[in-house]
Amino acid sequence: MTKVYGTGAYDFKRHHVAEYPVGSQHQLSDKPVESKPGSTTLPSSITLSEIQQDRLTQLAMENWSKAGEAAKSKKPFKPELVKEIYETELLVKEGQRKPVPLQRVMILEVSQYLENYLWPNFDPETATFEHVMSMIIMINEKFRENVAAWVCFYDRKDVFQGFLQRVLRLKEGRELSIAEKTNYLVFMINAFQSLEDEVVSETILRLASLPTWHSLSYGRFQMELSLNTDLIKKWKRMLKREAKEVAKRGETFDPVNMPEVKFLRSLIEEFLEILDSKVFPSEQGINGDTNKIGHVGDACILYCERFMEFLIDLLSQLPTRRYLRPLVADVAVVAKCHLSALYRHEKGKLFAQLVDLLQFYEGFEINDHVGTQLTDDEVLQSHYDRLQSFQLFAFKKVSKLRDLALANIGAINKRNDLSKKLSVLSSEELKDLVCHKLKLVSTDDPWSNRDDFLIEVMVSFFEKQQSQKEAINALPLYPNEQIMWDESVVPSINYSGEGCLALPKLNLQFLTLHDYLLRNFNLFRLESTYEIREDIQEAVPHLLAHINNEGEAGFRGWSRMAVPIREFKIAQVKQPNIGEVKPSSVTAEVTFSISSYKAQIRSEWNSLKEHDVLFLLSIRPSFEPLSAEEAAKASVPQRLGLQFVRGCEVIEMRDEEGTLMNDFTGKIKRDEWKPPKGELRTVTVALDTAQYHMDVSNIAEKGEEDVYGTFNILMRRKPKENNFKAILESIRDLMNEYCIVPDWLHNIFLGYGNPSAAQWTNMPDLLKTVDFKDTFLDADHLKESFPDYQVCFTNSDGTENLDPRPPFRITLPKMLKSSTHALPGNKKSAADSKNDVSMADADSEKEKLFVEAYTPPDPGPYPQDQPRLNSVRFTPIQIGAIISGVQPGLTMVVGPPGTGKTDTAVQILNVLYHNCPSQRTLIITHSNQALNDLFEKIMQRDVPARYLLRLGQGEQELATDLDFSRQGRVNAMLVRRLELLSEVERLARSLQLPEDVGYTCETAGYFWLLHVYSRWELFLAACAESENKPSFVKDRFPFKEFFSNTAHPVFTGESFDKDMWAAKGCFSHLKTMFQELEECRAFELLKSTADRANYLMTKQAKIVAMTCTHAALKRKDFLQLGFKYDNLLMEESAQILEIETFIPMLLQRQEDGYARLKRCILIGDHHQLPPVVKNMAFQKYSHMDQSLFTRFVRLGIPYIELNAQGRARPSIAQLYNWRYRDLGDLSYVKEGAIFHRANAGFSYEYQLIDVPDYHGKGESAPSPWFYQNEGEAEYIVSVYIYMRLLGYPANKISILTTYNGQKLLLRDVINRRCVPYDFIGPPNKVTTVDKFQGQQNDFILLSLVRTRFVGHLRDVRRLVVAMSRARLGLYVFCRRSLFEQCYELQPTFQLLLQRPDRLGLNLTEISSYTERHVEDTGPTHLVSSVDEMVTIYQQLYQCTR
């Protein structure tokens, strides 16, 4: 491929999702075509008609397809057909690196071969080998495409257990080909990754349980039992139980031959045999130069890589690790891999990286049996103990090792020293030591005659491992050119899901918090590396580098994000800190010119500020341009002429005269600021010290060239995408702290223990009585919310209340029984199980719930004193979520589209603030938009604005007049202070006292104590004696004059009680006023803006809100300032990366080794789209797009699912509500007039419109992954014009599509056909489904684009988002024949297809208003084509004109 990315007209390379790599046309002849993960796509050369004519499609139609006509007549099941398909279609040629012909498997998958043919006809007794193997391949394909794989087996769980038993015995008496072995292995990998699914876990977990120890060598078995004495009892009990079971069946007890015992051991032995003899079939190179070996078995290499992946997976989760690790050590897998030829061969690079990862997990710092993390000291101590006992042993028993026995520890804990000391032994002595005396390896092991192997085993057992902390601290945080283009770590976009990668995976469980952070650190680092690499590939070609006459690199072009460097010099290298080798800091100065830029781009370069990350590149183009042939072979850096890449961070920037620019530290006062002079800019940057140390050492030791003398390009990135360094630093800091997650969350977080342990009902320190304030609108609302209880209303004194009015205080029972309770994801709602209870219980006594209806004190005589009240009538489930959120512990709320999750969140905050006024709450969301929505609603509740604070960049977009940023809050406090002090002066005047008491907050405080409070106390004492005089209060109230400016007179003088009530209200107004002044006092004392802002954040604000990115960026600052909070509420948490959810839990220092966090409330929806991960490989292989919320749901942690939507017409909601437990509609959607009226001009409120080929073509991809469909684009825009001519407002219509290519095409068509005419104009938005998540509109026109393969809409989460954006009308334009046969999307498309698949219009209506009922279609005209639609709107235009 000669093209350099980032230069073509259609190169939107950053935004696509890989569908498949585009192969050249001639590739189709003999090789099967490459494909990508998660797609159902083949190369551009295959058309839908070819697929329809394909032999497999024909077979499917005859035998198992359920779509269309084919469903009627089906042939009976034939095992021969399965065998024939397997042998002709599913086997690959010997030696290919693919285990299956992907293209054929994908066609079978689309036709639902597994669901409709293999599984319904599976019988564990009679099924053939081919039948089982075909099922294995189809299940693997589902995993590769990231769709639910086990769902179809739920209907016959017992038969599925039989299938798994068949799988375990599949190899008995049969030799599998290497491709079959690989498929078998991939199936086992997938099964072990699905332990949360009970149909799988029962059988699969037994393979890695205690009985596997029957297969350990005797010495290893004794060693393990002596290290874990608790296991001896367990082992004996297990033997008894097994012997009993065998005796029952009347067989002899032979544990070693039980299938579960042998399974893993024989798998490992089979792998070692392939590694040893099959990878390099000829013997020539085992001892010689490995790179000269002739024939290499590619299929065997793939098998070896996947086997490493399998073992890494098993060792990286506790349930499988516990009993498997001794087995891996007993066979010495790692040592054998290290010594294998493949490890050192150039083709074994990925294998070698995987072996190192396996070694890392084998020696992971954890106690396997208790599951606790070992501290660095414990690891060191156990290493010393081990060496010391070996020295003693050597001193007594092995005279030749006297040197080793008497050496100090420092002289023998390094690899080289140890192997040198051991080399004095002869082969026999060495074997005797390792196999008989130390029993590290069994004597039966064929490798035990190799000296290098025995020494390797000894050394890896006794050497000192590098501490994981040290390893992380020595890593540079910025990527360099070597890691950027390493395909096995940062794969290119077209990762097809077939091979494996040297990457950690995020699955359900983690070994320790350290392991959790480490995996996330590595993935996050590599994901950002990938994005930086894309940016470099985009920016550099525009510079048009060439060699000029002096032989230097010159640049003819220009790039917005990259500028040539005029001068680069290292300014300062500081001494290392004690105990470290790298310098403590390295700073450099970079000078560049912005003369060639226009004003807009100049200002972008001028706005570089402290902490921004820049990249220094060294470009050396080749003297002559590469020929097409050379370019095809060259790597990307060679094509770009790129030599080195180093990252750095801005410290400060100066203009040509040396004046500081963009200074945020306060060195330059605001009024002294001047615009920057000249065109040269000098940036002082901090280089990465670890990377600098490595580079300098390489220059000194290896004589390599000085990287720092060669930089000639400075590159910046978009600020929004450039915060990776701060997040990596935060993760690294967390690894260095003894980081503490609250005890109640720790085990659940790692994925162990009882999933409901952190639910509020299992927590200590519950709130016994909760004051719900304005949550309930009236007494009936409260009764509806607790249907399982008999509600008893009382007054404050305990007597019965016959006319209860809110607010209410409820005494909550410890176990709240109700259907609103949180349930684990695999349980159905309690409503289903209720029906099973016999009706006899219905009349029996319901438990009582005591509710106190109290009268709140009068807040004051002015309108602004009245609290703002909630007007939402919460559903019982929402009330359940509010109760759970107010109590300590973990609350998970799933909020389907339109179910009012923001209202629920705001009410939780409101009730929390009133019940725990001293506690502080942190709000985190994914987007600024969501944060602003939440904030706008909090302000309409009774939480004083002075306690709210919004951090980060998005506060400018808040639709309020008040400014909630730090600066805005400080200014508001200062303005408020002046207002209050003038009120104090007015009060002093009204009491005939001198006015200077209102000079400062301090003097006002003394005035309160001396004059105000004392007068109030005297007044109360006088009142106590005169309760029978009705006008007493009116005459004697001391502050009557101050309150003379109220709208109505405060006192009537008719009743003592009424007036006393009002007097208390007036006093409460005064009290609040002086309390606020006390809070303003700090702002009077602190003079600098920064101090005031920090005081506000750490002391004053009760509710602090920010985005997850801001939290990760500023974690260091929060810790320094001593930021504290008790509660964490996270919105959109199913859209936030695991690690970005975790960091906000730890933004405060631990107090005496204990975490302060009391509540964690996660609100999200795992049925909608996950976090965005740009690189497919990290998304598919490492599951990096799994959010913490989704992981918790998979672990079975109970959650509350809101169950009434108030967004869409009930009929539209049915298109997606099948994904939820029992999602119903709010009464307002059922009763509202707007939801009953039809959409004028349309027969139906939702419809699927089948779009045939337009001008002879369906989907097209002008460049890879850039899908467009001209027919759909023209059709949709015509319908949009028709709607505008009828009078639909443009801002009520949005056009959505599933691909970026189509989005740009739609915008083109709109610019051409709509924008020139004012009476049509553009719609509210034209964007992708993914970008529109979280938004809604009345009418949605949706284009699904694809006509060959379903593509990424197969992800049901994307479908749910697409279907749930419309309130009143949804029109889906797509290719019917393609989408109706997709298994995952069936429930939605079956509903859509109950209506005609041609657009139904009502041509009698010519305005946007109609009285027609939504179920009455009226006279329907079915549109036959795009062209007819154009004619219709043209006629309409003539009429309306």
Side-chain angles (χ1 to χ4, degrees), residues 950-969:
R950 160 89 166 75
L951 301 178
Q953 299 306 309
E955 67 260 4
Q956 298 89 351
E957 300 137 32
L958 266 171
T960 60
D961 310 334
L962 301 169
D963 181 354
F964 283 96
S965 64
R966 269 192 278 199
Q967 191 55 50
R969 283 296 83 203

Side-chain angles (χ1 to χ4, degrees), residues 566 592-598 602 679-680:
R566 288 279 176 92
F592 61 93
S593 160
I594 52 170
S595 56
S596 59
Y597 289 129
K598 293 189 187 126
R602 269 186 193 205
E679 291 172 337
L680 285 181

Side-chain angles (χ1 to χ4, degrees), residues 611-631:
H611 299 312
D612 279 358
V613 172
L614 300 172
F615 287 89
L616 299 160
L617 314 180
S618 167
I619 306 268
R620 247 179 257 158
S622 52
F623 191 65
E624 288 175 359
L626 298 177
S627 67
E629 209 170 286
E630 290 170 328

Side-chain angles (χ1 to χ4, degrees), residues 529-726:
T529 301
Y530 169 73
E531 289 175 24
I532 294 161
R533 173 174 98 180
E534 295 289 288
D535 285 345
I536 291 177
Q537 286 173 204
E538 206 160 289
V540 170
H542 293 292
L543 291 163
L544 306 177
H546 65 103
I547 300 283
N548 60 18
N549 299 339
E550 288 87 56
E552 306 271 308
F555 302 97
R556 291 198 197 96
W558 66 278
S559 164
R560 181 177 189 157
M561 306 307 270
V563 59
I565 293 175
R566 288 279 176 92
E567 188 188 0
F568 174 89
K569 59 172 189 280
I570 299 274
Q572 186 187 34
V573 180
K574 284 194 176 165
Q575 290 284 328
N577 295 332
I578 292 175
E580 290 186 352
V581 287
K582 60 181 188 192
S584 55
S585 84
V586 181
T587 49
E589 286 177 3
V590 189
T591 307
F592 61 93
S593 160
I594 52 170
S595 56
S596 59
Y597 289 129
K598 293 189 187 126
Q600 160 71 32
I601 303 179
R602 269 186 193 205
S603 69
E604 287 177 12
W605 281 98
N606 279 338
S607 60
L608 285 177
K609 56 184 187 299
E610 192 185 9
H611 299 312
D612 279 358
V613 172
L614 300 172
F615 287 89
L616 299 160
L617 314 180
S618 167
I619 306 268
R620 247 179 257 158
S622 52
F623 191 65
E624 288 175 359
L626 298 177
S627 67
E629 209 170 286
E630 290 170 328
K633 286 182 191 158
S635 64
V636 178
Q638 286 167 333
R639 288 205 294 270
L640 298 176
L642 185 67
Q643 302 290 320
F644 303 110
V645 181
R646 295 289 180 268
C648 57
E649 183 177 337
V650 177
I651 298 174
E652 59 180 32
M653 171 143 125
R654 295 182 181 271
D655 65 8
E656 205 157 311
E657 296 179 357
T659 318
L660 259 184
M661 295 165 58
N662 307 337
D663 175 58
F664 294 100
T665 53
K667 285 182 213 157
I668 294 181
K669 302 244 176 346
R670 286 208 164 171
D671 42 356
E672 291 172 12
W673 183 84
K674 297 187 189 77
K677 297 268 166 56
E679 291 172 337
L680 285 181
R681 300 283 175 266
T682 302
V683 195
T684 308
V685 294
L687 299 172
D688 188 304
T689 53
Q691 181 70 57
Y692 182 79
H693 176 70
M694 281 156 55
D695 290 334
V696 173
S697 311
N698 283 344
I699 297 170
E701 291 164 16
K702 301 180 188 166
E704 290 186 11
E705 127 181 66
D706 176 11
V707 178
Y708 296 92
T710 63
F711 296 130
N712 50 7
I713 292 289
L714 182 68
M715 188 185 96
R716 66 190 172 94
R717 298 178 67 220
K718 289 184 190 144
K720 262 202 163 149
E721 296 167 0
N722 205 16
N723 42 33
F724 71 98
K725 175 173 183 273

Side-chain angles (χ1 to χ4, degrees), residues 173-212:
R174 184 181 181 113
E175 183 55 36
L176 274 60
S177 73
I178 196 77
E180 288 172 331
K181 284 180 180 169
T182 309
N183 289 326
Y184 186 83
L185 185 61
V186 173
F187 176 80
M188 295 315 294
I189 291 173
N190 293 332
F192 274 107
Q193 288 277 304
S194 314
L195 293 181
E196 81 274 21
D197 215 312
E198 48 209 37
V199 292
V200 184
S201 60
E202 244 175 276
T203 307
I204 292 296
L205 263 180
R206 284 215 296 273
L207 301 178
S209 57
L210 191 55
T212 52

Side-chain angles (χ1 to χ4, degrees), residues 217-343:
S217 65
Y218 185 67
R220 173 71 59 173
F221 176 67
Q222 294 294 355
M223 180 159 77
E224 289 299 329
L225 282 188
S226 63
L227 288 173
N228 303 294
T229 44
D230 308 349
L231 282 177
I232 297 176
K233 280 181 186 166
K234 195 173 173 185
W235 178 259
K236 287 179 176 162
R237 278 204 307 274
M238 184 197 75
L239 284 181
K240 265 187 192 167
R241 195 176 63 243
E242 283 177 355
K244 252 189 199 166
E245 282 171 13
V246 172
K248 262 188 199 166
R249 295 200 297 268
E251 300 162 9
T252 51
F253 182 43
D254 177 16
V256 185
N257 287 324
M258 283 164 37
E260 342 357 335
V261 172
K262 289 190 312 193
F263 185 77
L264 283 174
R265 177 104 190 189
S266 50
L267 260 186
I268 294 176
E269 283 165 356
E270 179 179 61
F271 153 71
L272 289 170
E273 183 194 341
I274 289 175
L275 179 65
D276 203 22
S277 56
K278 299 257 180 77
V279 176
F280 302 112
S282 48
E283 283 299 305
Q284 63 212 32
I286 291 299
N287 304 318
D289 177 4
T290 52
N291 286 332
K292 288 185 183 151
I293 296 175
H295 174 73
V296 181
D298 277 347
C300 297
I301 295 180
L302 176 69
Y303 173 81
C304 293
E305 290 165 357
R306 298 236 66 157
F307 196 83
M308 285 295 102
E309 178 197 347
F310 175 61
L311 288 184
I312 291 166
D313 281 358
L314 292 184
L315 287 185
S316 58
Q317 35 189 10
L318 259 184
T320 46
R321 173 190 179 87
R322 268 187 190 129
Y323 302 115
L324 180 76
R325 203 179 68 92
L327 194 62
V328 173
D330 190 32
V331 188
V333 176
V334 176
K336 289 175 184 172
C337 291
H338 275 308
L339 295 173
S340 68
L342 180 59
Y343 186 81

